[in-house]
Amino acid sequence: MATRRALHFVFKVGNRFQTACFYRDVLGMKILRHEEFEEGCRAACNGPYDGKWSKTMVGFGPEDDHFVAELTYNYGIGNYKLGNDFMGITLASSQAVSNARKLEWPLSEVAEGVFETKAPGGYKFYLQNRSPPQSDPVLKVTLAVSDLQKSLNYWSNLLGMKIYEKDEKKQRALLGYADNQCKLELQGIQGAVDHATAFGRIAFSCPQKELSDLEDLMKRENQKILSPLVSLDTPGKATVQVIILADPDGHEICFVGDEAFRELSKMDPEGSKLLDDAMAEDKSDEWFAAQNKPKASG
């Protein structure tokens, strides 16, 4: 499974301006690309919504060799209810800690040299106050699971992830496809995993030829397939094939054909401007609506 790689985590965001400030100004990430869509995604990339939406990829470097965040914005939806499913992303960056302090972004030290902060919408990030590794500052994504052993069987035996660490007492395990990639941490919790309406999605790539084999495996093992193998188009860019799965706790998992995705995910030097233009148009629309709001009679 060495040819598989961790790609990104999908967040639904209700306020693009505040969110962009957090990722750009606090974390120090770059806008890698920004895309606008007129209707919902066939693989529900933007959640169960059919209207206009946008996708913004942000990270510390190119998607070819960095784990990034995919920020999905559904026009007209200002907030989402958080569940207990997503427990945080951990990254190593003394610069992010310094940025947060300068901007007076709320930080709380939860361990020596480790600070918890929240992105707009309430998503947790853990900032290690140290120099980032050469590969990628994003170290791990932590998801809640209700049965650690059952989840390990799924992620390791079925999806082929290597188990790097396992602690039965603390009910946690660390998995990944390669030493230099962002890891997946599974943390056992009491009770059920609740995804609420903010539920995210973690994405990986594999050689395109493996996608149908993966689909067949999940069928044989009676595992949940949320979206059977489908081709997704992005205007003016490569068409990619994806399959969307769900683990035993309902965490959404996207596998995408690597070859086409590398073409699709090339960094767009206009990405930041495209996002800023879209946000400016948002503000203009809000102003126009406010100016033309019917006045109360009487």
Side-chain angles (χ1 to χ4, degrees):
M1 302 296 179
T3 51
R4 294 185 178 182
R5 62 190 178 101
L7 298 178
H8 54 256
F9 193 86
V10 182
F11 295 99
K12 295 185 188 70
V13 303
N15 186 311
R16 284 193 296 194
F17 181 77
Q18 291 177 359
T19 299
C21 287
F22 176 76
Y23 284 94
R24 281 196 285 205
D25 302 336
V26 178
L27 297 187
M29 289 183 173
K30 300 169 186 163
I31 306 298
L32 304 173
R33 54 189 171 101
H34 176 80
E35 292 145 9
E36 295 277 338
F37 301 88
E38 292 300 319
E39 57 186 27
C41 173
R42 291 174 64 195
C45 303
N46 62 315
Y49 306 98
D50 293 328
K52 185 178 178 182
W53 65 289
S54 73
K55 172 199 297 183
T56 308
M57 310 303 290
V58 295
F60 289 105
E63 293 177 68
D64 271 357
D65 51 14
H66 287 74
F67 189 85
V68 308
E70 177 176 317
L71 311 175
T72 63
Y73 173 74
N74 290 291
Y75 283 81
I77 300 179
N79 57 74
Y80 301 88
K81 183 183 176 185
L82 287 174
N84 63 0
D85 52 345
F86 174 78
M87 300 186 76
I89 285 183
T90 301
L91 56 93
S93 173
S94 54
Q95 185 61 55
V97 174
S98 175
N99 292 344
R101 285 171 172 160
K102 284 179 185 174
L103 295 169
E104 298 184 347
W105 198 277
L107 284 179
S108 59
E109 192 165 14
V110 293
E112 187 176 353
V114 180
F115 295 86
E116 179 187 299
T117 190
K118 291 180 181 178
Y123 305 109
K124 290 181 180 179
F125 281 74
Y126 293 92
L127 313 180
Q128 295 183 0
N129 193 13
R130 64 182 179 91
S131 298
Q134 286 189 331
S135 52
D136 186 2
V138 183
L139 305 179
K140 64 182 179 182
V141 176
T142 305
L143 301 180
V145 298
S146 59
D147 184 327
L148 182 60
Q149 194 51 52
K150 190 174 182 180
S151 294
L152 282 174
N153 178 65
Y154 182 91
W155 289 93
S156 182
N157 295 342
L158 296 184
L159 295 186
M161 277 192 157
K162 175 184 174 182
I163 299 175
Y164 282 86
E165 298 173 16
K166 183 180 176 183
D167 188 328
E168 291 281 3
K169 189 175 181 181
K170 293 183 178 179
Q171 280 293 290
R172 64 172 290 275
L174 194 68
L175 304 93
Y177 282 121
D179 296 354
N180 63 345
Q181 290 184 19
C182 175
K183 304 299 187 297
L184 171 66
E185 182 177 54
L186 304 177
Q187 176 63 60
I189 62 169
Q190 295 293 319
V193 174
D194 176 17
H195 299 277
T197 63
F199 64 92
R201 175 182 290 178
I202 191 166
F204 303 89
S205 73
C206 66
Q208 186 168 307
K209 63 183 180 182
E210 291 182 13
L211 290 172
S212 57
D213 293 338
L214 181 59
E215 185 174 41
D216 291 342
L217 172 64
M218 291 299 157
K219 288 177 180 176
R220 288 197 307 272
E221 296 291 333
N222 294 314
Q223 298 295 329
K224 186 175 284 189
I225 298 173
L226 299 176
S227 294
L229 192 55
V230 63
S231 294
L232 299 181
D233 297 320
T234 298
K237 295 188 178 182
T239 296
V240 298
Q241 286 193 305
V242 305
I243 179 173
I244 312 298
L245 311 173
D247 82 346
D249 286 297
H251 289 291
E252 294 194 1
I253 309 151
C254 172
F255 273 91
V256 58
D258 190 74
E259 299 87 345
F261 187 78
R262 286 185 185 273
E263 180 66 28
L264 170 71
S265 62
K266 286 181 178 176
M267 186 172 175
D268 181 358
E270 294 293 307
S272 195
K273 181 180 183 300
L274 290 171
L275 173 61
D276 288 338
D277 288 349
M279 291 192 298
E281 191 172 323
D282 264 3
K283 291 296 180 186
S284 175
D285 289 345
E286 288 174 15
W287 180 88
F288 183 81
Q291 298 305 307
N292 290 275
K293 186 176 180 180
K295 293 182 172 61
S297 60

